[in-house]
Amino acid sequence: MMMQKPPPEDFLLKETNPHLGGGKVTGDKLASTYDLVEQMYYLYVRVVKAKDLPGKDITGSCDPYVEVKLGNYKGTTRHFEKKSNPEWNQVFAFSKDRIQASVLEVTVKDRDPVKDDFMGRVLFDLNEVPRRVPPDSPLAPQWYRLDDRKGDKVKGELMLAVWMGTQADEAFSEAWNSDAATVSGAEGIANIRSKVYLSPKLWYLRVNIIEAQDLQPSDKGRYPEVFAKAILGNQALRTRISQSRTINPMWNEDLMFVAAEPFEEPLILSVEDRVAPNKDEVLGRCAIPLQYIDRRLDHRAVNTRWFNLEKHVVIVEGDKKKEIKFSSRIHLRICLEGGYHVLDESTHYSSDLRPTAKQLWKNSIGVLELGILNAQGLMPMKMKDGRGTTDAYCVAKYGQKWVRTRTIIDSFIPRWNEQYTWEVFDPCTVITIGVFDNCHLQGGEKAGGSKDARIGKVRIRLSTLETDRVYTHSYPLLVLHSSGVKKMGEIHLAVRFTCSSLLNMLHMYSHPLLPKMHYIHPLTVSQLDSLRHQATQIVSMRLSRAEPPLRKEVVEYMLDVGSHMWSMRRSKANFFRIMGVFSGLIAVGKWFDQICNWRNPITTVLIHILFIILVMYPELILPTIFLYLFLIGVWHYRWRPRHPPHMDTRLSHADSCYPDELDEEFDTFPTSRPADVVRMRYDRLRSIAGRIQTVVGDLATQGERFQSLLSWRDPRASALFVIFCLVAAIVLYVTPFQVVALLSGIYVLRHPRFRYKLPSVPLNFFRRLPARTDCML
């Protein structure tokens, strides 16, 4: 197990040396600027407005729009109807790498059903275009007289600003980009722009249902079987049936929900009577708006409140219908918990561990900066015009802030060069970067193209990064398919973690990982699993309603929604991880066995001398151990990891699992496979569970043998052990402890000539002790 082959070279992390911010990474710091992206130059054209445009009819009105043309690239503004002084205020950005002409042509046209009329144009020589670099102020637009095709001045003026800038320009995010010239329509363009999203603020809602009073069951001749049900959005929970089968039932149960600000839906509470196995009668219902619920920051109890339960009953008297309201009551203690952190990610790679209430937040300890540079060698994800294509974009998630880069159309080597920043409150957190294919642009022929396809994901733990160092690496994008692990390309990232106070960051290592309410008033494992599922559903639903939407499949992939499902591959990987943890102890055991068997006499003699010194001077034992650990740590510092961790296919057993195991991992829940396949998998699971059952039984047997030493289950064995304990107590009382330790150690380290191949007497005695296995059916 310890001699596993390293992952293939293609799956390894690669250190790079890009030009960042126009400078170059030299050592651990940047030579010129703090920017973590390569500069990309664009020609910007801001079309502001026009005036005095000539009309095409007797009214003097026209339907103008502006066409900006540079070589083969052409962008147009929206058009106005019957307006001679229109205002557009639109920006166009042309990538300098794709400029194919030396002249920029800005033309004003009049929209016509047959053929658009030429109204005038303005020409710019690209060699004369000024360059602007932030933080310079924006370039002021100027009025330009329109020329006809011959270069003569005509009626009408156009206000423009033309400059050369980089992607750091504030106009870049909202500009029409020549890289997306094939995308048309407002919705299509909105789907390719970069955006920043914020997760909704999540609260745990605790509903303590105490009792109800004055219930009115329809059948007065039976004891009611009453339970309470609470519904919040898609979440529904219920109490057990009350043991006091009266019209005044009691429960005193806690129900936990996840609520998101702004609170859009009330909490619906109902009390129901189980009148038949599949029939429940509602005895009363009430709706509680969450805006008026108390919010608590610690474990102190909030005040209880009574709420009226309304039930409408229609009674027919002759030809008249009479509506009667029964008003029962329910007793609740209800609050929004601000002292918990609502888990929407796994705690193993969570990006935020702060409590919900902002009053409990501590100061930030640093800043995380991420530069998303480019990707290389992406695989075609869909078919368009008979050929494979990929429209890639990135999503990064840390804390409550999600970022989405712009979509690069039809490119297997997209260049984003976008930089983002997050505040860091805990170094033991993880940032997740995912790459996706945008399937919501026109022209896709992919079946089921309504979902954005995943290309790969990268996780970086901040505590593994050195502060103030720029990490530039190319990360492999690995995705596990039912056919096996596949490399979908590489993503090039630049990461820097800057610490504002080293002392504060080191102090964080002494704090609990989660807020204190998780330890003072802990939630059960089943509650945490259920609440995490509800939290991810709420986050994905809210982000999918943004514009442009961050779609559900993207959010679920970033949050690892399906990671708790059964997987034979993951189970194997976790087993070998455990073996790797114990490998050090196993190695020490083998080394000690070699010492005891005198495989190397010189080493054994030295161990004897060391042992005698420690026995004679026991105060040196702990200092020796800690000094040894210190020297090991200092020695290993020379070979400390210099790169961030990344996805390991060998550790994950992704490259050595069987096809059927992968097919089982990607099966739906409940299963959608044929009955014979499910039967085969069930039998395999029974076989594995049988082996685990045997191991667990053996462990229980050893523990029961220890218990039977003094239980007199075997009277002779217990008598022998009790007599031995008495003799040992007397001997150890009259004999100095150092003598006992010295004799015991020399006996254990004795030469093989004085050893027997048969088991020792204590082991023989222990194996003969009774266990409860003979009482098992």
Side-chain angles (χ1 to χ4, degrees):
M1 183 269 300
M2 298 305 295
M3 297 298 293
Q4 287 184 351
K5 297 179 181 178
E9 186 72 24
D10 210 27
F11 291 172
L12 294 178
L13 199 66
K14 300 171 185 173
E15 189 169 11
T16 58
N17 199 16
H19 291 264
L20 299 183
K24 199 172 185 180
V25 178
T26 56
D28 288 356
K29 296 188 179 294
L30 282 171
S32 61
T33 176
Y34 72 93
D35 283 337
L36 297 183
V37 293
E38 296 176 311
Q39 286 188 351
M40 299 175 66
Y41 287 97
Y42 288 87
L43 175 66
Y44 289 96
V45 181
R46 181 185 293 277
V47 181
V48 183
K49 57 185 176 180
K51 67 178 181 180
D52 300 333
L53 296 178
K56 62 181 178 180
D57 50 27
I58 57 174
T59 62
S61 63
C62 57
D63 303 334
Y65 70 94
V66 175
E67 178 183 277
V68 182
K69 186 177 180 182
L70 182 63
N72 294 329
Y73 293 102
K74 181 171 63 176
T76 58
T77 66
R78 61 189 181 278
H79 81 280
F80 291 95
E81 294 185 1
K82 303 186 182 306
K83 200 167 185 179
S84 58
N85 298 314
E87 288 191 19
W88 294 282
N89 199 26
Q90 286 183 244
V91 181
F92 299 84
F94 297 88
S95 175
K96 184 180 179 182
D97 296 338
R98 300 188 181 185
I99 290 179
Q100 303 168 339
S102 59
V103 175
L104 171 70
E105 182 178 347
V106 183
T107 307
V108 181
K109 293 188 176 182
D110 185 8
R111 177 64 56 89
D112 188 84
V114 180
K115 184 179 179 182
D116 296 346
D117 296 328
F118 176 86
M119 301 181 69
R121 67 181 181 182
V122 180
L123 300 179
F124 293 89
D125 185 352
L126 296 189
N127 295 322
E128 304 297 328
V129 172
R131 176 171 293 185
R132 175 189 174 244
V133 179
D136 292 352
S137 299
L139 193 67
Q142 301 179 32
W143 286 105
Y144 293 88
R145 287 284 302 272
L146 297 179
D147 298 336
D148 59 14
R149 298 186 188 278
K150 298 179 180 179
D152 299 328
K153 300 296 182 184
V154 295
K155 184 181 179 183
E157 293 184 69
L158 187 61
M159 180 179 278
L160 294 172
V162 181
W163 72 95
M164 189 70 74
T166 66
Q167 77 272 28
D169 201 295
E170 61 270 9
F172 179 76
S173 60
E174 297 298 327
W176 175 93
N177 200 306
S178 62
D179 295 338
T182 58
V183 179
S184 60
E187 183 179 357
I189 292 178
N191 269 323
I192 65 173
R193 283 180 173 163
S194 58
K195 288 291 178 184
V196 175
Y197 306 84
L198 289 177
S199 292
K201 188 176 184 179
L202 300 178
W203 295 79
Y204 281 147
L205 174 67
R206 186 186 297 273
V207 183
N208 178 227
I209 302 178
I210 303 172
E211 59 179 331
Q213 286 185 356
D214 303 330
L215 299 180
Q216 297 287 337
S218 58
D219 187 356
K220 304 294 178 67
R222 56 180 286 276
Y223 293 109
E225 299 181 9
V226 182
F227 63 90
K229 185 197 294 186
I231 300 175
L232 180 64
N234 296 325
Q235 308 168 70
L237 297 174
R238 47 161 288 181
T239 66
R240 68 184 190 281
I241 293 176
S242 174
Q243 299 298 317
S244 57
R245 300 193 172 187
T246 64
I247 62 172
N248 299 318
M250 298 188 67
W251 297 281
N252 198 21
E253 285 190 42
D254 275 355
L255 303 180
M256 296 291 293
F257 298 89
V258 179
E261 289 187 3
F263 302 122
E264 299 175 345
E265 297 172 324
L267 175 69
I268 307 297
L269 267 171
S270 62
V271 178
E272 302 183 14
D273 182 14
R274 176 66 52 84
V275 296
N278 293 316
K279 184 179 179 183
D280 301 325
E281 178 192 0
V282 178
L283 303 182
R285 180 182 282 113
C286 69
I288 305 173
L290 300 187
Q291 293 91 329
Y292 309 113
I293 290 177
D294 294 335
R295 305 183 183 191
R296 73 171 184 177
L297 308 182
D298 50 28
H299 61 284
R300 286 177 289 188
V302 298
N303 296 327
T304 61
R305 293 174 60 187
W306 287 93
F307 293 89
N308 291 329
L309 295 172
E310 293 188 355
K311 179 183 178 185
H312 297 269
V313 178
V314 178
I315 299 177
V316 180
E317 295 180 354
D319 296 335
K320 296 182 179 179
K321 290 185 178 180
K322 184 179 179 183
E323 186 176 3
I324 299 178
K325 286 185 180 180
F326 291 107
S327 189
S328 307
R329 299 195 303 168
I330 188 168
H331 196 193
L332 303 175
R333 179 181 283 110
I334 181 170
C335 65
L336 289 164
E337 298 279 11
Y340 290 90
H341 170 68
V342 180
L343 293 165
D344 58 351
E345 305 166 289
S346 171
T347 52
H348 300 300
Y349 30 79
S350 181
S351 63
D352 188 14
L353 301 169
R354 292 171 295 171
T356 299
K358 201 168 184 178
Q359 301 94 305
L360 301 178
W361 290 5
K362 294 180 172 58
N363 294 329
S364 65
I365 61 167
V367 173
L368 172 66
E369 297 165 279
L370 172 69
I372 304 175
L373 303 179
N374 54 61
Q376 299 286 335
L378 297 185
M379 303 293 289
M381 301 300 296
K382 58 178 177 283
M383 297 299 294
K384 182 179 179 182
D385 299 330
R387 63 182 181 86
T389 183
T390 298
D391 305 323
Y393 67 93
C394 287
V395 174
K397 196 260 183 195
Y398 184 79
Q400 294 183 334
K401 180 178 172 182
W402 301 65
V403 299
R404 167 179 171 156
T405 67
R406 69 190 188 281
T407 300
I408 304 300
I409 306 298
D410 192 14
S411 175
F412 299 134
I413 49 171
R415 297 177 64 210
W416 294 287
N417 283 303
E418 298 184 23
Q419 183 172 341
Y420 299 96
T421 304
W422 289 267
E423 276 190 302
V424 177
F425 294 86
D426 194 316
C428 302
T429 46
V430 176
I431 181 173
T432 304
I433 304 102
V435 184
F436 301 88
D437 175 48
N438 195 333
C439 296
H440 292 81
L441 308 176
Q442 75 278 9
E445 301 169 7
K446 179 183 174 183
S450 59
K451 287 189 175 183
D452 287 354
R454 58 186 69 168
I455 298 178
K457 181 167 56 179
V458 173
R459 294 194 198 100
I460 302 175
R461 183 171 291 275
L462 270 60
S463 59
T464 63
L465 304 178
E466 299 177 14
T467 55
D468 299 318
R469 177 188 168 189
V470 177
Y471 289 84
T472 54
H473 290 86
S474 184
Y475 296 80
L477 295 171
L478 306 176
V479 173
L480 192 64
H481 297 281
S482 56
S483 57
V485 66
K486 188 176 183 181
K487 181 178 177 181
M488 308 297 290
E490 296 180 359
I491 182 171
H492 194 188
L493 303 175
V495 183
R496 178 172 56 205
F497 174 38
T498 305
C499 175
S500 57
S501 171
L502 180 61
L503 190 62
N504 288 343
M505 185 172 69
L506 295 178
H507 184 55
M508 285 298 300
Y509 282 86
S510 65
H511 289 186
L513 192 64
L514 294 169
K516 64 180 182 180
M517 280 295 289
H518 285 269
Y519 307 97
I520 297 174
H521 205 320
L523 303 173
T524 64
V525 175
S526 59
Q527 277 182 318
L528 287 174
D529 287 342
S530 174
L531 292 171
R532 184 195 167 203
H533 173 73
Q534 297 300 336
T536 55
Q537 295 300 311
I538 291 173
V539 170
S540 62
M541 181 185 68
R542 289 288 180 93
L543 293 180
S544 65
R545 288 160 48 185
E547 186 61 40
L550 199 60
R551 304 190 184 275
K552 182 179 179 181
E553 63 271 14
V554 174
V555 176
E556 290 184 348
Y557 181 60
M558 297 289 289
L559 296 179
D560 262 350
V561 168
S563 61
H564 65 285
M565 299 298 290
W566 161 256
S567 165
M568 179 71 74
R569 173 193 62 82
R570 201 176 287 119
S571 300
K572 285 182 182 178
N574 289 335
F575 171 76
F576 282 104
R577 286 173 62 201
I578 293 175
M579 295 300 295
V581 169
F582 287 110
S583 63
L585 296 176
I586 295 171
V588 170
K590 290 180 178 179
W591 172 80
F592 187 72
D593 182 68
Q594 292 176 355
I595 296 297
C596 293
N597 288 286
W598 292 67
R599 298 286 176 83
N600 190 333
I602 297 177
T603 304
T604 305
V605 170
L606 292 176
I607 293 297
H608 275 77
I609 296 172
L610 177 63
F611 173 71
I612 293 172
I613 293 174
L614 293 178
V615 169
M616 299 304 295
Y617 303 96
E619 65 274 9
L620 296 179
I621 294 176
L622 289 179
T624 302
I625 292 174
F626 284 108
L627 180 62
Y628 179 66
L629 295 176
F630 168 77
L631 293 175
I632 290 177
V634 172
W635 180 257
H636 285 174
Y637 180 78
R638 297 172 57 192
W639 296 282
R640 66 191 185 278
R642 300 292 293 170
H643 309 303
H646 65 290
M647 304 289 185
D648 192 334
T649 55
R650 291 294 164 88
L651 179 68
S652 308
H653 276 248
D655 56 350
S656 59
C657 53
Y658 297 106
D660 183 69
E661 294 175 359
L662 286 174
D663 184 69
E664 181 183 23
E665 184 171 345
F666 284 91
D667 192 7
T668 57
F669 188 85
T671 182
S672 57
R673 297 297 185 262
D676 54 340
V677 175
V678 176
R679 186 181 300 111
M680 182 270 292
R681 291 174 180 170
Y682 175 65
D683 291 339
R684 180 177 63 197
L685 197 59
R686 288 176 64 192
S687 172
I688 296 170
R691 279 177 269 172
I692 296 174
Q693 172 184 285
T694 302
V695 173
V696 172
D698 291 342
L699 292 175
T701 298
Q702 308 308 322
E704 289 169 353
R705 283 174 175 165
F706 272 110
Q707 292 178 343
S708 66
L709 284 171
L710 297 173
S711 68
W712 295 89
R713 180 73 272 178
D714 184 341
R716 286 163 294 278
S718 293
L720 287 172
F721 182 69
V722 168
I723 294 170
F724 169 77
C725 290
L726 178 62
V727 173
I730 296 172
V731 171
L732 292 175
Y733 179 74
V734 301
T735 308
F737 176 75
Q738 290 175 324
V739 175
V740 174
L742 190 62
L743 293 176
S744 300
I746 292 176
Y747 176 78
V748 171
L749 296 172
R750 67 193 184 277
H751 195 274
R753 183 177 298 176
F754 304 106
R755 294 179 183 273
Y756 298 97
K757 293 185 178 180
L758 297 179
S760 63
V761 173
L763 188 58
N764 291 333
F765 177 78
F766 181 75
R767 287 177 176 172
R768 290 178 177 275
L769 292 172
R772 304 190 67 185
T773 50
D774 46 356
C775 299
M776 294 278 291
L777 287 175

